[in-house]
Amino acid sequence: MQSPGRRLRLPPLRLVIAAWPWLLVLAALVGVRLSKGAFLSDAYAQLSRPFWPGSAQSEWLRAAQDLDQQARLDQLEADNSRLRDMLELQSTAGGLLSAPVISRQSQGWWQQLVIGRGSLHGVASGAAVLAPGGLLGRVGSVTPATATVTLLTDTSSRVGVWVGRVQHHGMLVGLGTDRPMLRFIQQDVGVRPGDVVSTSPASTLLPPNLTVGVVQSVNDRAVPAPEAVVQLSAPVEAIDWVQVRVRAQ
Amino acid sequence: MRQPWTAFSALLVPLLVLAALPPLRLAGVPPSWAVLWLLPWALADGPLSGILLGTALGLMLDGLHPGPLTQLPALVLLGWWWGRLGRRAAPIERSFNLGLLAMLGTALLGGSLWLQQLWWGQSGRAALHTLLAQTLLTALLAPMLCSLQLLLWRKLAPGLRS
């Protein structure tokens, strides 16, 4: 009874021994199947690397996106000023005058810039001063050829601003430090760090919808109303030319 | 001979304030050029002259800054005090004394500006930093700059102090 059984079992064993490379291949294929083709797709990735979409392609896309957004911005601005004219709100029209920064005192008892354009060039007291990044301050005094700009960080600076996400007005008060304080009038404003602060859409003193900065931290326990510290978006130390908004002649 | 020098050097003070030279700043705060100019002048020229030039400097500098803060009262007081000191006390020539007087003067000037900030309801949060930095820097520069000016004023008017 034993020998036929052995005879029956031995050939498969021999076959198995003879076919072990094929079994290895089979095990590898099962492995590939179980790992969802990991080896195959990795090998494909290695082989096809020279043909991957390079940085040039993403730059094209970004450039196209920038162009699209710029065009939309221009269109919306034109639309906005037309609607403002219809509503007889303060117009955003009026020229922007480039002016060099000839003196910069951003620390100390006063936070101010002196710019090389004055009343002869149409700069008036109270005009908004812009820089790449957003609002910088307002013209405090004017001489024929120069103007002194009170920065938003100056202790005498008080500017009404608007937090768009929560639709609340606030007063941006300079502290003499790099970051001014945003004071609210209402109790529950729900402002969070990261909220963008801009000039009010209905502002009459300043051009509407200019970026001012980003809320950095909020003190909800301040009395009588919450306060927030704002990081300004325009870097004062790095700016050599500013733009002054002059009224349309 | 002395008046052109006085006028020229006094006019240099607002120009230096406007220039706000980056190397001569401590933590971003410039020194008090008004103190650095007024100290040797008042020591050499007496209290009345100190008051007059303190007023002149105060008026010029207040014109440069927007806002309600003024340096005039502190500068007038310092001009009078240093002028009196120059007349009454033994002659002050040592650099250490000049540094100490400049330090006290700048601290007084900064303190008056701080009080004005509080009076006008402005935030005095950065005031201590500004006051300390300006006082330190002015006191460090005073021995060098003030002794040279003191020499100049005494040379131009040798008979004044006797």
Side-chain angles (χ1 to χ4, degrees), chain B residues 12 16 30 59 96 101 111 133 156 159:
Chain B
L12 218 56
L16 280 170
L59 288 173
F96 183 76
L101 283 178
L156 289 178

Side-chain angles (χ1 to χ4, degrees), chain A residues 179-200:
Chain A
R179 297 187 183 99
M181 176 81 78
L182 177 54
R183 297 217 166 100
F184 291 98
I185 305 155
Q186 296 96 335
Q187 277 290 342
D188 293 322
V189 286
V191 168
R192 287 197 303 248
D195 283 348
V196 175
V197 180
S198 57
T199 56
S200 165

Side-chain angles (χ1 to χ4, degrees), chain A residues 102-112 114 138-141 143 148-151 154-158 173-179 181 183 227 229 237, chain B residues 17-20 25 27-30 62-71 109-111 113-114 117 120-131 134:
Chain A
I102 56 175
S103 162
R104 189 198 320 265
Q105 295 165 53
S106 54
Q107 301 268 324
W109 295 108
W110 292 273
Q111 281 75 33
Q112 63 176 43
V114 179
R138 291 174 68 193
V139 172
S141 59
T143 67
T148 305
V149 180
T150 308
L151 295 175
D154 191 89
T155 49
S156 65
S157 165
R158 303 273 186 282
V173 180
L175 299 181
T177 57
D178 284 344
R179 297 187 183 99
M181 176 81 78
R183 297 217 166 100
E227 293 175 340
V229 176
E237 287 297 332
Chain B
V17 169
L18 279 180
R25 280 196 260 174
V29 182
D62 285 348
L64 294 182
H65 303 299
L69 305 189
T70 167
Q71 308 188 51
L109 181 69
L113 289 171
W114 194 353
Q117 280 190 337
W120 290 106
Q122 299 179 351
S123 158
R125 203 166 288 197
L128 187 66
H129 168 258
T130 307
L131 191 146
Q134 193 164 52

Side-chain angles (χ1 to χ4, degrees), chain B residues 55-87:
Chain B
T55 313
L57 274 183
L59 288 173
M60 279 198 290
L61 292 181
D62 285 348
L64 294 182
H65 303 299
L69 305 189
T70 167
Q71 308 188 51
L72 199 139
L75 287 178
V76 169
L77 189 70
L78 288 177
W80 172 76
W81 176 43
W82 286 332
R84 245 172 71 96
L85 218 59
R87 282 287 152 82

